[in-house]
Amino acid sequence: MSLEKFFDACVAEGLSTGPADSRALAPALSLGIHREHWARAAAAAKTAGLRWSALWARELDVGFEAFCCLAGGGPYVVLRTQLAPGEKLPSQAPIYPAADRPERHTHDLLGLYFGDQPDARRWTRHLAWSDKEFPLQRR
């Protein structure tokens, strides 16, 4: 897979991306995208032949930052985005089914919501915490 195919697919999806940074998460290529384009960037990655590899997130002073790692025979691509408290991140699970449980896990522990998540049942909490309690949140 060439990164050129991925960037061509992003253009075809009408996505504008921030500058690619090869130093932030070296050796991966880090690419900032707007939260509303999260699922569309996954669709572009799938079109370019990239595999979905991982999802992680962290709480910021205000809101969250989410990361998605994509792989495909070249350098890893890490998509990153930020969102404010209460904003939803479009689910990548309809495009990459492997994203389903990591999205549910991220919601259970951090309270990050994914719109259009095909299976919004709890994954990690198993009713151990209330619906409004997220153990990795600082608040």
Side-chain angles (χ1 to χ4, degrees):
M1 188 292 305
S2 74
L3 288 177
E4 189 174 311
K5 276 186 173 180
F6 173 64
F7 287 115
D8 288 346
C10 285
V11 169
E13 282 284 333
L15 300 177
S16 60
T17 63
D21 186 349
S22 60
R23 294 170 292 137
L25 295 169
L29 179 69
S30 178
L31 187 63
I33 60 168
H34 191 276
R35 71 167 179 82
E36 292 176 357
H37 300 157
W38 189 249
R40 289 175 51 211
K46 190 166 190 175
T47 297
L50 293 170
R51 296 180 319 276
W52 192 93
S53 179
L55 167 75
W56 66 99
R58 67 183 182 139
E59 186 178 19
L60 302 173
D61 289 335
V62 178
F64 300 96
E65 186 170 30
F67 302 86
C68 169
C69 184
L70 303 158
Y76 288 94
V77 175
V78 176
L79 303 178
R80 70 181 192 292
T81 193
Q82 292 185 1
L83 57 157
E87 289 182 325
K88 289 184 179 182
L89 195 57
S91 176
Q92 293 180 339
I95 298 145
Y96 286 110
D100 177 68
R101 289 182 180 163
E103 287 180 357
R104 291 166 59 193
H105 182 72
T106 301
H107 169 72
D108 287 350
L109 294 177
L110 276 173
L112 190 95
Y113 289 92
F114 292 88
D116 301 327
Q117 216 299 337
D119 185 357
R121 294 176 295 160
R122 295 176 178 178
W123 177 249
T124 307
R125 293 189 326 203
H126 303 288
L127 301 175
W129 303 289
S130 75
D131 287 344
K132 295 180 183 178
E133 194 175 0
F134 304 102
L136 294 184
Q137 274 190 1
R138 290 182 255 163
R139 304 178 200 98

